Amino acid sequence: MTAPLSVLVLTYNEELNVVPCLESVVGWAGDVHVLDSGSTDRTLDVCGALGVAVTFHPYVDHRSQMKWWITQLPWRYDWLLLLDADNVEIGEANLCTPVLQGCLMMS
């Protein structure tokens, strides 16, 4: 069962960081998006290999990226989690876990 959660991962030349980040959410989060700012390394290939679609949007700042994602891309759930590509959801030690477990029990 997946959690009713949409995840946004912001990337720019993050081929070394994006794998642990995406692996920490793919499989349990119900909706995962990567918003890339024009990577010139293998970030897009790595995301594709993990089955995560990537959308391009020019970077201004994190706030602008989040606002654009929320207003322009389809997200499936009301619960949203923003991760930079060098962040990892670490399960039991993460504050999100108890909230998500509660959501799963209610659904």
Side-chain angles (χ1 to χ4, degrees):
M1 179 185 298
T2 59
L5 176 74
S6 291
V7 177
L8 172 64
V9 179
L10 300 178
T11 61
Y12 177 74
N13 290 338
E14 294 283 0
E15 71 177 290
L16 299 178
N17 296 318
V18 75
V19 170
C21 177
L22 290 176
E23 286 179 343
S24 76
V25 294
V26 168
W28 68 264
D31 187 29
V32 179
H33 299 265
V34 169
L35 187 56
D36 188 75
S37 301
S39 292
T40 57
D41 63 358
R42 296 189 58 249
T43 298
L44 306 181
D45 296 333
V46 170
C47 294
L50 292 172
V52 177
V54 179
T55 302
F56 169 77
H57 186 258
Y59 185 82
V60 176
D61 55 41
H62 274 56
R63 181 179 176 272
S64 298
Q65 291 296 83
M66 289 183 289
K67 182 178 178 183
W68 187 85
W69 173 61
I70 289 170
T71 61
Q72 302 300 314
L73 293 179
W75 40 278
R76 294 174 44 195
Y77 302 106
D78 291 335
W79 288 85
L80 309 175
L81 174 63
L82 171 69
L83 295 174
D84 198 66
D86 58 357
N87 297 144
V88 176
E89 201 293 319
I90 56 174
E92 293 300 321
N94 192 301
L95 295 176
C96 295
T97 301
V99 173
L100 294 174
Q101 288 172 342
C103 290
L104 287 172
M105 291 180 357
M106 293 186 316
S107 61

